[in-house]
Amino acid sequence: MFENVLSTMIFLPIVVGLAAMLIPFSSTTARRIGLLASLVVLYFGIRVYLGFSGSGQLEFAETRALLESVGISYRIGVDGISLFVLLTGAALIPIVFVVVKDRPRAFYGSLLVTQGAMAGAICAADLVLFYAFWEIMLIPIFFMIGIYGGPERRAATVKIMLYTVSGSLLMLAAIIYLGVAFHGQYGVWSFETAGLAGLELSDKAAALAFFAFMIAFAIKIPIFPLHTWLPDAYTEAPAAATFLLSAIMAKIGIYAVIRFIMPVFGPELVRYAMPLAWAAVIGLIYCGIAAIGQKDMKRLLAFSSASHMGILALGLFCLNIQALTGSIYQIMAHATSTGLLFLLIGIIEDRLQTREISDLGGIARQAPVFACFFAVALLASVGLPGTSGFIGEFLIIMGAIKFDTTLGVLAATTLIIGVCYMLWMFQRVFFEKSNDKTHGFTDLSICETLALLPAILLILFMGVFPQPFIARITPAAQSHIATVQGSGQLTGHVALDHIQQQK
């Protein structure tokens, strides 16, 4: 089983999730089975982390031919980049099954299917395999928003579908083109990233394929101006679906740029890095300002999440080791803090039937443990030193200043906007005088406290002892930066040799 540990992490939740949908379990039973399956996935994730050497290459690799005649293979593996994106999902999703209660069994089944598909997208080293998992992970989210979301759920579902499906079709067209181009140049079919990195494309063809991929990933992240689906989707989605979208799926968009665009479209990424970096900073500023005017806690946090994704995207486009390492580190840090905040806001909504800031107040006096956990996650979100959010943002800003001083200074100063609206919201909700709606708000139960506590401790540990994580990230970051700069890029003959060795 440990020889196929990644496959187990991918297909165990998918199989269990489908079983929860099809077999008439009770809701409570489905939730318990889902929790058990997610804990098993977490156990395997810990085994992968402990066995990871940090060589900068794919580890725990598995390769099987799927459609050999057209070069499609089941090839998966992890490196220092995918490792932490994979672990983020494995570590956080069990919390959802503890905190989110009284949902139909199909809801819990959808959570598991999404978890497995996300793990598949993270581990995939074949573009067709990645595309398959990329699409599968979206299907349960559509149903979770459309069936279990808020009053405007249908409009939000249509909007996110139009955006994501449009981007996915562009990416599919680019994938097919790359496979055909590889066959035309080398006489064999391949969709593996390592092989496609050696393609020799005309400037126009390479630019078109680059933007097809980039638009698909920019929608998922999202990058300005392709972010307009996010506030509605995050606001109307149930807390668990918002958690998946913000904590993990958006990070897969960041990860996909590193995994596929950097090695395959290095010259194009260098050529368009500056306008993409400006788009990331504009999104950071715009969404931050938009968050100030929000009266709904969840919508405020939705704009805040979009703003912070701008700083992660900026780290990608600076094309230096400090910024890229910071982005990868911030994937885990931001997922943990923002994911917890969405879950905690979900608890407030379930207990009080409101998310309006004006309806709330005095929660800290009635639920001190809840308030403490919320404060830690919030301070990590705004990048307080000593929390996980500070390390990643510091590295990104350092790399951004090296890339372009104006961009770096602008990004650093506009982060202050996030501090303002988040602390304003916290003061209103937790310390102002309580009213009839918040009277009787109960603190976290023992189970909820124990479920959330590891994430809180992780936030603090990552803020104080970042080196164990950075040591595993740096080799992969160096490899990708070298590839973009040209010193690590495969030539056509090396790419062909790689494909023949895989066979």
Side-chain angles (χ1 to χ4, degrees):
M1 182 177 290
F2 295 111
E3 294 179 357
N4 303 305
V5 60
L6 296 182
S7 290
T8 304
M9 293 181 69
I10 294 168
F11 290 105
L12 174 64
I14 291 177
V15 171
V16 176
L18 291 174
M21 295 181 190
L22 299 175
I23 300 175
F25 295 125
S26 67
S27 173
T28 302
T29 302
R31 176 169 165 254
R32 290 173 179 171
I33 291 173
L35 175 61
L36 178 61
S38 66
L39 289 173
V40 172
V41 171
L42 174 58
Y43 168 75
F44 284 118
I46 294 172
R47 290 292 298 257
V48 170
Y49 178 80
L50 295 176
F52 187 79
S53 66
S55 64
Q57 305 300 317
L58 284 182
E59 302 183 34
F60 298 92
E62 302 174 36
T63 303
R64 296 177 182 83
L66 292 179
L67 290 173
E68 194 169 359
S69 60
V70 291
I72 299 174
S73 63
Y74 176 81
R75 177 163 170 75
I76 59 174
V78 291
D79 62 5
I81 298 170
S82 51
L83 173 68
F84 288 105
V85 187
L86 182 67
L87 286 177
T88 298
L92 294 179
I93 287 179
I95 300 173
V96 181
F97 284 99
V98 176
V99 173
V100 178
K101 304 171 184 176
D102 302 322
R103 292 288 188 176
R105 57 188 172 86
F107 185 89
Y108 297 116
S110 297
L111 280 174
L112 287 171
V113 173
T114 305
Q115 179 183 14
M118 289 189 300
I122 293 164
C123 296
D126 180 280
L127 272 174
V128 176
L129 185 67
F130 169 79
Y131 178 81
F133 283 123
W134 176 273
E135 291 297 287
I136 293 170
M137 74 181 183
L138 291 170
I139 296 172
I141 292 294
F142 295 152
F143 286 108
M144 291 171 72
I145 298 174
I147 298 174
Y148 307 109
E152 301 297 325
R153 59 186 180 273
R154 293 180 181 176
T157 304
V158 170
K159 182 179 286 189
I160 188 175
M161 282 186 66
L162 288 174
Y163 269 90
T164 55
V165 170
S166 299
S168 295
L169 291 175
L170 286 173
M171 179 169 60
L172 178 60
I175 290 171
I176 294 172
Y177 172 75
L178 291 178
V180 172
F182 191 93
H183 182 266
Q185 288 185 29
Y186 305 116
V188 294
W189 290 95
S190 176
F191 292 93
E192 290 185 22
T193 308
L196 295 174
L199 269 177
E200 298 174 3
L201 303 174
S202 67
D203 289 345
K204 183 177 180 180
L208 289 173
F210 167 78
F211 279 111
F213 277 100
M214 197 67 239
I215 289 171
F217 300 152
I219 289 170
K220 185 71 68 196
I221 293 173
I223 297 174
F224 179 90
L226 301 174
H227 68 286
T228 56
W229 63 268
L230 183 145
D232 292 337
Y234 280 27
T235 303
E236 299 302 324
T242 306
F243 168 87
L244 292 174
L245 284 167
S246 64
I248 306 170
M249 284 194 181
K251 310 307 183 293
I252 294 178
I254 294 284
Y255 163 77
V257 174
I258 304 170
R259 167 65 64 217
F260 300 110
I261 287 184
M262 281 189 170
V264 179
F265 299 104
E268 287 70 36
L269 186 58
V270 172
R271 187 176 299 123
Y272 299 106
M274 185 61 74
L276 288 170
W278 272 106
V281 172
I282 290 170
L284 183 143
I285 298 170
Y286 173 83
C287 292
I289 294 173
I292 296 175
Q294 303 307 312
K295 300 178 181 180
D296 182 310
M297 284 183 73
K298 196 174 182 183
R299 195 170 181 86
L300 183 150
L301 192 57
F303 277 107
S304 172
S305 179
S307 178
H308 281 90
M309 290 307 295
I311 197 74
L312 270 82
L314 175 63
L316 298 181
F317 305 131
C318 292
L319 302 181
N320 57 59
I321 294 173
Q322 289 88 354
L324 183 58
T325 301
S327 281
I328 299 167
Y329 194 89
Q330 193 67 2
I331 285 174
M332 194 171 187
H334 184 262
T336 307
S337 60
T338 302
L340 281 181
L341 288 173
F342 275 118
L343 288 178
L344 292 171
I345 290 174
I347 291 175
I348 292 176
E349 183 180 13
D350 286 343
R351 295 181 182 177
L352 301 179
Q353 306 304 310
T354 183
R355 300 189 307 254
E356 292 291 319
I357 296 174
S358 59
D359 291 340
L360 304 172
I363 289 179
R365 289 187 290 273
Q366 299 171 116
V369 176
F370 181 92
C372 181
F373 282 16
F374 198 102
V376 172
L378 182 146
L379 293 173
S381 177
V382 300
L384 181 75
T387 65
S388 57
F390 173 75
I391 304 297
E393 288 185 356
F394 178 78
L395 290 171
I396 292 170
I397 297 300
M398 257 183 41
I401 291 174
K402 286 178 63 177
F403 175 71
D404 183 271
T405 304
T406 302
L407 274 174
V409 172
L410 188 61
T413 53
T414 52
L415 286 173
I416 299 171
I417 297 173
V419 178
C420 295
Y421 62 72
M422 292 294 276
L423 291 180
W424 169 80
M425 180 266 289
F426 187 73
Q427 185 266 334
R428 292 279 305 275
V429 171
F430 286 87
F431 293 111
E432 286 196 356
K433 184 177 180 181
S434 58
N435 52 43
D436 293 338
K437 291 187 178 181
T438 57
H439 182 71
F441 182 84
T442 56
D443 211 341
L444 296 173
S445 67
I446 294 176
C447 287
E448 290 169 338
T449 301
L450 293 176
L452 294 169
L453 184 60
I456 297 295
L457 295 176
L458 179 63
I459 287 173
L460 299 175
F461 182 84
M462 289 181 67
V464 179
F465 300 106
Q467 191 55 35
F469 304 92
I470 291 177
R472 287 169 167 78
I473 293 170
T474 302
Q478 290 173 334
S479 174
H480 280 75
I481 293 300
T483 297
V484 172
Q485 293 173 346
S487 60
Q489 189 148 358
L490 292 173
T491 65
H493 292 296
V494 175
L496 186 57
D497 289 343
H498 173 83
I499 297 303
Q500 292 171 343
Q501 288 171 7
Q502 292 304 317
K503 290 184 176 181

mmCIF file of all heavy atoms in Angstrom, residues 356-378:
data_model
loop_
_atom_site.group_PDB
_atom_site.id
_atom_site.type_symbol
_atom_site.label_atom_id
_atom_site.label_comp_id
_atom_site.label_asym_id
_atom_site.label_seq_id
_atom_site.Cartn_x
_atom_site.Cartn_y
_atom_site.Cartn_z
ATOM 1 N N GLU A 356 -24.274 39.560 9.363
ATOM 2 C CA GLU A 356 -24.176 41.016 9.285
ATOM 3 C C GLU A 356 -23.379 41.548 10.473
ATOM 4 O O GLU A 356 -23.690 41.241 11.625
ATOM 5 C CB GLU A 356 -25.563 41.644 9.272
ATOM 6 C CG GLU A 356 -26.366 41.354 8.017
ATOM 7 C CD GLU A 356 -25.769 42.051 6.803
ATOM 8 O OE1 GLU A 356 -25.343 43.212 6.933
ATOM 9 O OE2 GLU A 356 -25.717 41.418 5.723
ATOM 10 N N ILE A 357 -22.372 42.340 10.176
ATOM 11 C CA ILE A 357 -21.510 42.870 11.237
ATOM 12 C C ILE A 357 -22.315 43.716 12.215
ATOM 13 O O ILE A 357 -22.077 43.682 13.430
ATOM 14 C CB ILE A 357 -20.359 43.685 10.618
ATOM 15 C CG1 ILE A 357 -19.467 42.762 9.779
ATOM 16 C CG2 ILE A 357 -19.535 44.387 11.696
ATOM 17 C CD1 ILE A 357 -18.383 43.478 8.993
ATOM 18 N N SER A 358 -23.289 44.465 11.712
ATOM 19 C CA SER A 358 -24.093 45.333 12.578
ATOM 20 C C SER A 358 -24.972 44.546 13.549
ATOM 21 O O SER A 358 -25.423 45.096 14.561
ATOM 22 C CB SER A 358 -24.970 46.251 11.725
ATOM 23 O OG SER A 358 -25.829 45.478 10.892
ATOM 24 N N ASP A 359 -25.226 43.282 13.250
ATOM 25 C CA ASP A 359 -26.055 42.453 14.134
ATOM 26 C C ASP A 359 -25.256 41.808 15.251
ATOM 27 O O ASP A 359 -25.838 41.176 16.149
ATOM 28 C CB ASP A 359 -26.745 41.338 13.338
ATOM 29 C CG ASP A 359 -27.805 41.868 12.389
ATOM 30 O OD1 ASP A 359 -28.273 43.007 12.602
ATOM 31 O OD2 ASP A 359 -28.142 41.159 11.422
ATOM 32 N N LEU A 360 -23.944 41.902 15.185
ATOM 33 C CA LEU A 360 -23.089 41.143 16.094
ATOM 34 C C LEU A 360 -22.382 42.072 17.075
ATOM 35 O O LEU A 360 -22.323 43.274 16.895
ATOM 36 C CB LEU A 360 -22.054 40.347 15.293
ATOM 37 C CG LEU A 360 -22.634 39.400 14.234
ATOM 38 C CD1 LEU A 360 -21.526 38.814 13.375
ATOM 39 C CD2 LEU A 360 -23.446 38.284 14.887
ATOM 40 N N GLY A 361 -21.830 41.455 18.123
ATOM 41 C CA GLY A 361 -21.089 42.222 19.126
ATOM 42 C C GLY A 361 -20.968 41.432 20.414
ATOM 43 O O GLY A 361 -21.838 40.623 20.753
ATOM 44 N N GLY A 362 -19.881 41.654 21.137
ATOM 45 C CA GLY A 362 -19.713 41.054 22.451
ATOM 46 C C GLY A 362 -19.433 39.572 22.471
ATOM 47 O O GLY A 362 -19.532 38.946 23.529
ATOM 48 N N ILE A 363 -19.069 38.970 21.336
ATOM 49 C CA ILE A 363 -18.859 37.520 21.305
ATOM 50 C C ILE A 363 -17.674 37.110 22.171
ATOM 51 O O ILE A 363 -17.670 36.023 22.763
ATOM 52 C CB ILE A 363 -18.681 37.050 19.849
ATOM 53 C CG1 ILE A 363 -20.021 37.142 19.108
ATOM 54 C CG2 ILE A 363 -18.143 35.623 19.778
ATOM 55 C CD1 ILE A 363 -19.958 36.731 17.652
ATOM 56 N N ALA A 364 -16.675 37.959 22.296
ATOM 57 C CA ALA A 364 -15.493 37.606 23.091
ATOM 58 C C ALA A 364 -15.835 37.341 24.541
ATOM 59 O O ALA A 364 -15.225 36.475 25.186
ATOM 60 C CB ALA A 364 -14.443 38.716 22.993
ATOM 61 N N ARG A 365 -16.798 38.049 25.076
ATOM 62 C CA ARG A 365 -17.183 37.850 26.484
ATOM 63 C C ARG A 365 -17.951 36.550 26.674
ATOM 64 O O ARG A 365 -17.889 35.932 27.737
ATOM 65 C CB ARG A 365 -18.029 39.038 26.966
ATOM 66 C CG ARG A 365 -17.227 40.320 27.135
ATOM 67 C CD ARG A 365 -18.071 41.421 27.765
ATOM 68 N NE ARG A 365 -19.095 41.895 26.828
ATOM 69 C CZ ARG A 365 -18.892 42.852 25.929
ATOM 70 N NH1 ARG A 365 -17.696 43.428 25.835
ATOM 71 N NH2 ARG A 365 -19.853 43.239 25.128
ATOM 72 N N GLN A 366 -18.685 36.144 25.644
ATOM 73 C CA GLN A 366 -19.512 34.943 25.767
ATOM 74 C C GLN A 366 -18.798 33.674 25.309
ATOM 75 O O GLN A 366 -19.148 32.574 25.740
ATOM 76 C CB GLN A 366 -20.796 35.134 24.939
ATOM 77 C CG GLN A 366 -21.623 36.305 25.427
ATOM 78 C CD GLN A 366 -22.774 36.622 24.483
ATOM 79 O OE1 GLN A 366 -23.930 36.494 24.855
ATOM 80 N NE2 GLN A 366 -22.467 37.020 23.269
ATOM 81 N N ALA A 367 -17.801 33.817 24.416
ATOM 82 C CA ALA A 367 -17.106 32.652 23.852
ATOM 83 C C ALA A 367 -15.620 32.974 23.734
ATOM 84 O O ALA A 367 -15.117 33.218 22.639
ATOM 85 C CB ALA A 367 -17.707 32.281 22.502
ATOM 86 N N PRO A 368 -14.905 32.995 24.862
ATOM 87 C CA PRO A 368 -13.494 33.420 24.822
ATOM 88 C C PRO A 368 -12.593 32.501 24.002
ATOM 89 O O PRO A 368 -11.664 32.977 23.349
ATOM 90 C CB PRO A 368 -13.087 33.424 26.299
ATOM 91 C CG PRO A 368 -14.088 32.567 26.992
ATOM 92 C CD PRO A 368 -15.359 32.721 26.236
ATOM 93 N N VAL A 369 -12.832 31.198 24.022
ATOM 94 C CA VAL A 369 -12.002 30.281 23.233
ATOM 95 C C VAL A 369 -12.224 30.524 21.746
ATOM 96 O O VAL A 369 -11.266 30.597 20.955
ATOM 97 C CB VAL A 369 -12.299 28.811 23.600
ATOM 98 C CG1 VAL A 369 -11.500 27.861 22.698
ATOM 99 C CG2 VAL A 369 -11.979 28.550 25.059
ATOM 100 N N PHE A 370 -13.477 30.660 21.357
ATOM 101 C CA PHE A 370 -13.806 30.967 19.967
ATOM 102 C C PHE A 370 -13.132 32.268 19.541
ATOM 103 O O PHE A 370 -12.526 32.350 18.459
ATOM 104 C CB PHE A 370 -15.325 31.083 19.817
ATOM 105 C CG PHE A 370 -15.798 31.370 18.421
ATOM 106 C CD1 PHE A 370 -16.127 30.340 17.565
ATOM 107 C CD2 PHE A 370 -15.920 32.677 17.960
ATOM 108 C CE1 PHE A 370 -16.562 30.595 16.269
ATOM 109 C CE2 PHE A 370 -16.350 32.953 16.677
ATOM 110 C CZ PHE A 370 -16.674 31.906 15.832
ATOM 111 N N ALA A 371 -13.213 33.295 20.386
ATOM 112 C CA ALA A 371 -12.619 34.590 20.062
ATOM 113 C C ALA A 371 -11.102 34.489 19.950
ATOM 114 O O ALA A 371 -10.487 35.108 19.073
ATOM 115 C CB ALA A 371 -12.995 35.617 21.125
ATOM 116 N N CYS A 372 -10.474 33.698 20.820
ATOM 117 C CA CYS A 372 -9.030 33.524 20.778
ATOM 118 C C CYS A 372 -8.595 32.853 19.474
ATOM 119 O O CYS A 372 -7.644 33.309 18.823
ATOM 120 C CB CYS A 372 -8.577 32.706 21.981
ATOM 121 S SG CYS A 372 -6.799 32.441 22.054
ATOM 122 N N PHE A 373 -9.295 31.788 19.087
ATOM 123 C CA PHE A 373 -8.971 31.095 17.842
ATOM 124 C C PHE A 373 -9.172 32.020 16.642
ATOM 125 O O PHE A 373 -8.359 32.042 15.708
ATOM 126 C CB PHE A 373 -9.822 29.834 17.699
ATOM 127 C CG PHE A 373 -9.343 28.675 18.522
ATOM 128 C CD1 PHE A 373 -8.449 28.844 19.559
ATOM 129 C CD2 PHE A 373 -9.803 27.394 18.256
ATOM 130 C CE1 PHE A 373 -8.005 27.774 20.319
ATOM 131 C CE2 PHE A 373 -9.366 26.300 18.997
ATOM 132 C CZ PHE A 373 -8.469 26.510 20.039
ATOM 133 N N PHE A 374 -10.266 32.768 16.658
ATOM 134 C CA PHE A 374 -10.537 33.697 15.563
ATOM 135 C C PHE A 374 -9.436 34.747 15.480
ATOM 136 O O PHE A 374 -8.971 35.104 14.382
ATOM 137 C CB PHE A 374 -11.900 34.365 15.782
ATOM 138 C CG PHE A 374 -12.489 34.997 14.553
ATOM 139 C CD1 PHE A 374 -13.489 34.363 13.842
ATOM 140 C CD2 PHE A 374 -12.044 36.243 14.103
ATOM 141 C CE1 PHE A 374 -14.039 34.948 12.702
ATOM 142 C CE2 PHE A 374 -12.586 36.834 12.980
ATOM 143 C CZ PHE A 374 -13.587 36.182 12.279
ATOM 144 N N ALA A 375 -8.975 35.234 16.623
ATOM 145 C CA ALA A 375 -7.939 36.265 16.647
ATOM 146 C C ALA A 375 -6.627 35.748 16.076
ATOM 147 O O ALA A 375 -5.958 36.448 15.305
ATOM 148 C CB ALA A 375 -7.734 36.764 18.076
ATOM 149 N N VAL A 376 -6.239 34.525 16.424
ATOM 150 C CA VAL A 376 -4.988 33.960 15.911
ATOM 151 C C VAL A 376 -5.055 33.826 14.398
ATOM 152 O O VAL A 376 -4.115 34.197 13.681
ATOM 153 C CB VAL A 376 -4.696 32.598 16.568
ATOM 154 C CG1 VAL A 376 -3.495 31.924 15.898
ATOM 155 C CG2 VAL A 376 -4.423 32.771 18.056
ATOM 156 N N ALA A 377 -6.166 33.281 13.887
ATOM 157 C CA ALA A 377 -6.314 33.125 12.436
ATOM 158 C C ALA A 377 -6.327 34.483 11.736
ATOM 159 O O ALA A 377 -5.733 34.660 10.670
ATOM 160 C CB ALA A 377 -7.581 32.343 12.116
ATOM 161 N N LEU A 378 -6.999 35.458 12.341
ATOM 162 C CA LEU A 378 -7.079 36.793 11.740
ATOM 163 C C LEU A 378 -5.706 37.464 11.705
ATOM 164 O O LEU A 378 -5.310 38.054 10.696
ATOM 165 C CB LEU A 378 -8.070 37.641 12.537
ATOM 166 C CG LEU A 378 -8.327 39.065 12.047
ATOM 167 C CD1 LEU A 378 -9.778 39.459 12.312
ATOM 168 C CD2 LEU A 378 -7.415 40.077 12.754
#
